[in-house]
Each structure stands twice: as structure tokens, then as C-alpha cells.
Amino acid sequence: MKFLCDQMLGTLAKWLRIFGFDTFYANSTISDDKIIVISKKENRCLITRDEELAFRCKKENIKIIHFKVVDLDEQLNLILHDLVIDKNKILSRCIICNSELSDIKKDAIKDKAPIKVFQNHEKFWFCKKCSKIYWHGSHYDKMIQKVLSYSILTI
């Protein structure tokens, strides 16, 4: 399933990407009209807390998840409850731009990664779109702990 999170749900968009879901984030520069067009064109389920946008999307027969909940864990529980999570997709997307990550050889990022990171890690991933480099550091461990905290998943 592909999602589109409106501007009120940026952190949720990041976490859906961590779980491996293709998630477009509509920041404040994207109008509601454009959100509707993107949702329809790309067959994305819109996730919003905006009453008016939810109403408009329902009229357009756009798949929608509309809630008032502001707590991230509650939001994730509501969304992930009925979904199958592919453990091979977890942490496969760039949390910044949503592109799929690629393995990259350590030598290729020598001048792009912090020196200590380069020295202490062997495996790296790279986003071809925004040039972000990823590795299994302390943030990785924290993300995996959160992912595992959802009873719907066992890795």
C-alpha cells in the first residue's frame, strides 16, 4: 500500500517509510487540491487529521485514513493494525525523500561519511535521489527497537 501524509503528519510519514511503506509527504507548500490530484494519480491512501480535506477526499472516492489522534504510537497502531509488514522492506527507504535505498561499497563513501562512522562500520546504504548515507548506528538500533515494539511484527 502507498500512502500520502498531509503536512500535519511529517513524523508519521517518516515512520511509515522506516516500516518500508512508500509514503509521500505533502509539506506546507502543497495545496489540498494538489494532494487530491497526487492521491488519485498515484493511487495513494491519504492520511490526514484535516476534517475538510478528509471530506473532500471521501467525495472523490480517495482511500483515506482520517483520525484526530496526535500521539505517534497511536497513529501507527491505527494504521499498521491491518497491514502486512514485509520485514525485508524495513529501513529500505530514505526517511528524507522516500526513495528506495541502494547498497553502496564502503570505499565509495569514504569522503562522504564522518571519519568515525567510516572507521567503525562496514555496511552502508545510499539514497541516489538526495545523496543521504545510512549505516547501522545507534539510530538504527533505536528504530529497530520501536519497530519490534509493534506486536504485529516479528523479525
Side-chain angles (χ1 to χ4, degrees):
M1 177 170 284
K2 298 189 319 183
F3 296 106
L4 187 153
C5 289
D6 72 7
Q7 68 180 5
M8 292 187 257
L9 300 169
T11 303
L12 177 63
K14 178 182 93 168
W15 276 97
L16 288 171
R17 291 171 181 171
I18 289 168
F19 275 92
F21 292 102
D22 181 343
T23 306
F24 184 97
Y25 172 60
N27 63 31
S28 62
T29 65
I30 300 176
S31 70
D32 286 358
D33 290 339
K34 184 74 172 171
I35 287 172
I36 291 169
V37 168
I38 293 167
S39 295
K40 278 178 137 176
K41 182 179 177 185
E42 297 181 13
N43 194 28
R44 292 184 179 275
C45 175
L46 174 68
I47 306 172
T48 186
R49 291 178 45 229
D50 183 322
E51 295 276 343
E52 183 182 329
L53 181 58
F55 178 76
R56 289 179 62 194
C57 288
K58 285 176 187 172
K59 286 175 62 175
E60 296 277 341
N61 292 320
I62 294 170
K63 287 182 265 181
I64 184 167
I65 297 172
H66 176 231
F67 47 60
K68 298 202 182 283
V69 176
V70 292
D71 180 74
L72 175 63
D73 289 321
E74 288 182 55
Q75 292 171 347
L76 284 168
N77 278 324
L78 288 168
I79 294 165
L80 298 175
H81 183 263
D82 295 326
L83 295 177
V84 175
I85 297 171
D86 181 347
K87 68 181 181 180
N88 296 315
K89 296 279 186 177
I90 294 170
L91 295 169
S92 65
R93 293 194 162 273
C94 178
I95 61 173
I96 306 299
C97 74
N98 193 43
S99 296
E100 290 185 352
L101 299 177
S102 303
D103 290 343
I104 189 166
K105 295 196 184 292
K106 184 175 180 173
D107 292 342
I109 56 99
K110 185 175 185 174
D111 297 329
K112 297 175 183 159
I115 294 168
K116 292 240 185 226
V117 169
F118 184 79
Q119 292 171 344
N120 294 323
H121 295 85
E122 295 303 317
K123 190 153 176 68
F124 295 89
W125 296 266
F126 181 72
C127 176
K128 293 177 183 175
K129 185 174 178 184
C130 72
S131 301
K132 178 128 174 79
I133 300 167
Y134 294 89
W135 59 90
H136 286 186
S138 61
H139 283 87
Y140 170 84
D141 294 335
K142 290 174 187 169
M143 287 185 278
I144 290 298
Q145 281 181 338
K146 187 169 182 82
V147 167
L148 288 174
S149 73
Y150 288 86
S151 60
I152 55 172
L153 178 69
T154 54
I155 295 180

